[in-house]
Amino acid sequence: MMWGIPRTRYADCNGSEESEETEIVVNIGGVKQVLYGDVLNRYPDTRLAELVDCSNKSNEEISSFCDDYDPDTGEFYFDRDPEAFKCIIELYYYGEIHMKRGICPICFMKEMEFWKIGSDFLDECCKCQLQEVEDELAEIAEKVRTILVDREGDPSAGGWQRFQMCLWRMMEKPDSSLPAHIIAIVSFIFILVSSVVMCVGTIPDLQVEDSEGHLTEHPTLEVIETVCIGWFTIEYLLRLISSPNKIKFVLAFMNIIDFMAIMPFFVVLILISFGAGVMELANVQQAVQALRIMRIARIFKLARHSSGLQTLTSALKSSFKELGLLLMYMGVGVFLFSALGYTMEQNHPETLFTSIPQSFWWAVITMTTVGYGDVYPKTTLGRCNAAISFLCGVIAIALPIHPIINNFVLFYNKQQVLETAAKHEIELMALRSGAAELEDAPRVHKHVCGAGVWDNTMRSCHSDTYIPLLKDPRGGAGVQTPSLDTSFESTA
C-alpha cells in the first residue's frame, strides 16, 4: 500500500523540471511513502532528515535510524503507527502538525518524540486537546492514589495515625470497606428520618398542648429528633477527630451544613437550661423559632451520599456566568415591564399597580409564567404589556438554560469516565502484580489508539508509552500505568 502528499515540482533556469532529486522510500507499519530529500531538509534536526545522508553510511549505522533496512530497494522500515505518521509528514509541507480526530494525544506525543519533532510545531488547537488529556491523567492519578491509600494506608504511619486514617476512611469513604458502607447507609436513614420528623411535627393533629396552652411537638417525635441529633453529633465529632486537616475540615461547605444542622438543638437546650424566665422573652422566642427553621439545612446532608447531587452542585458552580446572565435578563425585564405596567395602569380607578416597586412582584410572576392572579392589569395597554412581558420572560429563561444543561452533562460524563478509568488502572496494577512471574513472557495488551487495536509488542503503543502516574510507595522507580485513550477520546 502506498500513499503520499502531492508535491509541487519546480522548474530550473532552462524551463525543465529538476531531474536530480533524492528519493527516500520509507515503510511505516506496512504503508510505503516516497519522500524527497529537499523537503526533508527543511527541518534538518528531525529523524527523517537524517535519512537523506544515509547513502554513504554502513548498514549498522543505518539500522540505528530505523527498525529495518532493505539495501536492495533502499527502503527504510519503521514499526510505527501509519495514521500518526500521516500527521507527522504534514510538518514538512505545511510547517505545522494537526492531530487527526481519534488519535490518542499521549501516544501521538510519543510519535513526535520518536521522529525528533518538538511540541512547538503542534497547532494551538491540538495543544489545548493535549492539555485536557494531561489534566485528565492527573485527575486519574489522584483518584488512583486515593484508592490505594484507602486500601493499603500509609506504611510509614504510626499507631495513632493508622487508627486516624482507618476512622477517616470509615466515616468518609463508603466504598473502602463493608463497615464504612453500613455507616453511610445508617447516616442516610437518619437524615431521612429527621427530615420526616421535622415535617410531621408541624401537623396540628399530631401536636400536644403544653401547660400554657401552646401547641408543641409530640414527645415521641422529640425523642426521635434527639436520637437523630445524637447520631449527627457523634458522626461530626468522629469525622473532625479523624480529619487530617482540621481547619480545612471546619471551613468546608458541607461540614458547615452539618454543623448548622446540629447547632440549633444545642442552642435551644442551653436557652431552656437558663429557666422559663429567659424563654418567655419575645426576642428569645423569635431566636428559638429561627434556630428551629435552620434544621432544614440537614436535608443538604444528602449531597454527601449522592454523587448526582454533588455533580449538580459542581455543574452549577461552573455555570455562574450563565446564571448571572439569567439574573441580569430577569432584572432588566422586571424593571422595564413593572415601570410600563405602572404607567399604563395608574389612571384606572381600580388599579392594582400602586407603585413601581409594588409592581415588581407582578413583573416577576408574569415573566416566570407563574401568574398567581393577585395582581393583574385591567386596561388594554396593560394587558398588551403583560403579554409581551411573559413572552420575553420565556425567552430570557430559555436562553441560558441550554448551556447550564450542557455543563451538567459534560461534568457528569467526565466524572463517570474518570471513575471508570481509575478503577481500570487499579485492576491493571493488580493483574500486573499478580502475574509477576510472567513478566518476561510476551504480553498482549489491548490498547485503543484511534487507528485500531495494537499488539503491545508494537512500538506504536509499546511499553514505552506507559505513563508513570504514581510513585511506588516502597521507594521504587515507579508504578507504570497505561494511558487510557478510550476515556480521553470520549471526553475530548
Side-chain angles (χ1 to χ4, degrees), residues 362-421:
W362 168 83
V364 169
I365 63 176
T366 303
M367 292 190 68
T368 55
T369 67
V370 177
Y372 290 114
D374 54 344
V375 182
Y376 56 91
K378 296 182 178 181
T379 64
T380 302
L381 289 178
R383 291 170 181 173
C384 292
N385 177 60
I388 297 174
S389 66
F390 75 72
L391 288 176
C392 293
V394 170
I395 296 174
I397 294 175
L399 286 177
I401 291 300
H402 187 66
I404 295 175
I405 295 176
N406 283 343
N407 289 339
F408 174 80
V409 173
L410 290 175
F411 194 89
Y412 181 79
N413 291 337
K414 182 179 179 181
Q415 289 297 111
Q416 296 297 318
V417 167
L418 291 179
E419 291 178 3
T420 304

Side-chain angles (χ1 to χ4, degrees), residues 89-106:
I89 200 62
E90 290 181 357
L91 171 67
Y92 300 91
Y93 292 92
Y94 307 121
E96 60 182 4
I97 298 177
H98 291 268
M99 282 189 298
K100 290 186 178 180
R101 195 174 188 85
I103 296 181
C104 170
I106 301 299

Side-chain angles (χ1 to χ4, degrees), residues 319-335 364 367-368 396-397 400-401 404:
S319 303
F320 276 155
K321 183 178 180 180
E322 289 79 7
L323 292 174
L325 190 63
L326 173 61
L327 294 177
M328 184 189 71
Y329 286 161
M330 294 299 297
V332 172
V334 166
F335 180 81
V364 169
M367 292 190 68
T368 55
I397 294 175
I401 291 300
I404 295 175

Side-chain angles (χ1 to χ4, degrees), residues 294-310:
M294 288 179 60
R295 293 184 301 173
I296 62 176
R298 68 187 60 173
I299 197 65
F300 292 105
K301 291 169 63 69
L302 292 174
R304 184 183 305 280
H305 307 282
S306 174
S307 59
L309 291 177
Q310 295 175 5

